[in-house]
Amino acid sequence: MSAAEARRSFLKAGTAAAAGAFAANAVRPAAAQENPRQDPTPAPGAPTDPPGGAQPRGENDVRADYDGFSRYQPSRGNDPDSKWYIGKEVPGFRRGEEGPAPFIAPDVEKLPYTMENGWKVFRLNCTPVRREFLPGYYIDVYGFNGSMPGPTIEATQGDKIRVIVKNDLPEPTSVHWHGLELSVQDDGASHLTQNMIEPGKEYVYELHPHEEGTFFYHSHVAMQETFGMVGWFIIHPRKPFDPPVDRDFGLIFQNFRIDPMTTVVDSWGMDFNWHTINGRSGPYTTPLVCRHGERVRIRIMDFSPIQHHPIHLHGHTFWVTGHEGARVPKTAWIPRNTELIAVAQASTLELIANNPGDWALHCHMTHHMMNHMVQHVGPRLRGQADTERYTANLETRPAVDLNSKALGEVPPGYPQMMQGMKMDPRAMEKVWNRREMKGMRATAPKTIHGLFTALRVLPDDLYRLVMESDEPVEKGAVFAEIVRRFGDYGRYQWAPMMNMNGGMNGGE
Amino acid sequence: MTRPPLLRLAASAVVAGLFAAPAWAQDAGRATLDGPLAAPPPVPTGGDLPVPADIPELHAADDDPIGRRFVEPPPVPEAPRGLGTVVEREQNAAFAGAPLTLDEALELAAANNPTLVQARAQVQGTLGLAVEAGLWPNPVFRYVGEQIGVDREGETDTPGEFQGATLTQEFVTADKRDLSRAKFLQRTRVAEWAAVSQQWRVCNDVRVHFYQALGAKETVAIREDLLKAAEDAVVTAREQWNLGQATRSDLHLANVALQEARLNLLMAENDYLEQFQTLAALIGLPLETGAVVGELDGESAEIDFEQVYREYLDEAPQVIMARQKLREDQITLKRELVEPIPNIFVEAGSGYNFEALETTGTASVRFDIPIFDRNQGNIRRAEADLVRQRREIQRTEMLLRRELATQYRRYLTARQHVEQFAEVILPEARAAYKNQLDAYAEDRQQWPDVLTVQSSYFDLRQRYIGHLVALRTSETLIRGYLLHDGLNVPDPLPPGHLDVTAQPR
């Protein structure tokens, strides 16, 4: 039995999700494909029942259906004025009294604190950072505590917070607490409210946040901001927001100008060519993974130097429930598919993950969906991408066919060659060696570029397979299973396996 | 562009008003309509505008509204006569003849350069003077008939008192002949050093022009690569045009750059032809242009200015020649100093004495008495020549120092450039080029940028060749006593004040 077959067997035998899996389905006629949405008998792995069953007990109890809106199926509801419309106030599974859901900013650590006489004391060092934007691409930026973005500061409304900032940069700095209504001497506006923190020196900020919501801290030196000096400052409400969410994700979108052959940010550059989400570029961004039916909050902040980002989520309609200033009253929530977020703004989106699948979450500016935009003219366009014939003898160069007629045979605009990507197998291993990527289509990294990540909505069993088990999962298996359960498997085509070392399972 | 009639009328009126409106004509428009009008300037129309010479097929598509409709890129211009694309040229026609090495060139020049024969002939000529100057003066035969028609008692006129013949021999005194021979032999030595100088001139020139030809040949090779780069840039621009990443202007400018690269290659080939034929002329043979074969690059010992100059003072043909000439002038002075010592002319003969009616003999001895002409003028000139020649040695040494300084400056500059190009600039440029190629291979660089760096690298290599040629030229001239111009007539011998006399002395 081959490794692939063994893994298929696992999915068949080891998980309920894969009970009717691929081997059997692959030989069925397309017309006989099981479609759970039309099958009155719940198939194994059908929508997960909420705790306590699907029957409502009270108005805000967790249930499957709310006035025509389904937690488990794409749906709108019956009345735009209803509190359940597009899942507006549909609660998550988590009970409000359990407190806020853990804030998760993928690829960014949380800043620990110590309690000292009732103060939460955080230590923040301003440091140069070498951040791996993509596997093998180590970019020189600035950040905090060796991280760019800096570690997340998490607090609760009403805390007494002391942040001891040490400047380990070679130049003065100061730290601004963006959005807080604080004492002016602690605002961190360089020169305006304080002397700069000289290299090697410390400055203590004392904060008494009466606010709750999405905030952030950043250097108040423009070029240092361009170098990436920012971090989340999440202040949870003393009284948890209603409805409670199951997931609370945070994504910081950033741009950098880094010339193609350097690793150093050009802080003067105006033409941004590297794009990161929480310090990583697609396909190295870490997908957000949630369970089918959960209520999900995604906080997105734009800390690009000068560019806005229209953030688009596929497969769902979300409610904009807050910005960086404050939670928006429910009467002003807006349902959207795309949220335009300007520089230094943050938006909070909430949705019921009622549509299983791997859903693109990305900036819709086309140049933000790629890195290092280079023209593809030259030998590459002539089918001679291999430059060895140039490097074999640098003292002379190969001739070109000046009489080439090829250009007249293709329509204007072709070929741009922007539809592909090239990454060495070891880099691809790094992309795939993350739990959050398990079971995605093998070609997923071909489109996850730049300001691009994915929201994975997985039925409970598949969620556990991906996020809680160490079982190997074949590339595309989870996705295919979702198609099998919720789509039309007869029309589904597996992704080619992208010529990776190790064959179909390479990189795992 | 044709102006609307009203506008044209108004424009004419205003212009005419400027020229013709009198002071009373406040209403310029009416005045120009009613009053006398100056001839309005012609209104240019589209059809009347001068059109520069154009190549219709090159710019046919430019008449389309710019940027409103896709048109094919302009055609690639034809290559100038004698030059196809690099792809089509398997071998450069400039190097078709037999190959030539430096050693071969030197051997051929030694055998065929006409100035070397001239120099040797000059030595022979001077040697002839030495022979001539040392020869005994010829005896002088004289027929003597004295007192013809003398009456003798009892007889009428006699044929003369004496009829006979004498031989006169000049006896050169004071070793004048030996001194004269020594003087001209010394001058022969001067001529020999002039011939040596000429050999250096020829050898140096052959070397210098061989290196220059070699440099020109390597420049041709680099120009070919630059042409390939220009051709690539044209293809790249056309690709960019197809992708909306270049304007039509970019394509035209790429064509311009291509044509310039082609001309640059042709110019480099022309330079090579000139260099090779110059070399052939120095060799002294009408050679068919072929490829020179050799290395421009290579280690060479560093030259020290003072050391070289000290060597010059001991070895340079120019200095030795001047010193030999001084020796000649010293002999000349000696020779002139003995000139006042009179030569003795001894005459003896025999004849018939018709008065005594018997055969008699005759004898005489004579010599100049140096009372008035003691050769003092020539001695003074010889002394002056001696002084002049002493300074000539010094002048030669200083001239060499000055020329060495100039050449040494070129040498230093060339050597510094060659070293830095070889050790830093070219490796850096090559690394940059390699870096660009590697980046391109990783989709991290754009081809037009690669081409730019590539061209820079080839340009730098071309400059390196120029510095190498300059270095080899300077080295050759410095090592070769700064002698050059191997086709000039060999140096004339230094002037002597008595050279023009019929009989040298």
Side-chain angles (χ1 to χ4, degrees), chain A residues 260-261 372 380 382 395 413, chain B residues 239 242 435 440 444 461:
Chain A
M261 297 165 68
H372 280 152
R380 180 180 304 138
R382 303 163 201 157
E395 309 312 309
Chain B
E239 290 167 351
N242 210 56
N435 197 224
Y440 181 80
R444 287 168 66 80
R461 282 174 51 215

Side-chain angles (χ1 to χ4, degrees), chain A residues 142 167-173 196-200 221 223-224 229:
Chain A
Y142 283 3
N167 181 10
D168 286 330
L169 294 175
E171 61 183 28
T173 189
M196 301 288 279
I197 312 172
E198 294 296 326
V221 176
M223 292 299 129
Q224 293 173 359
M229 290 186 73

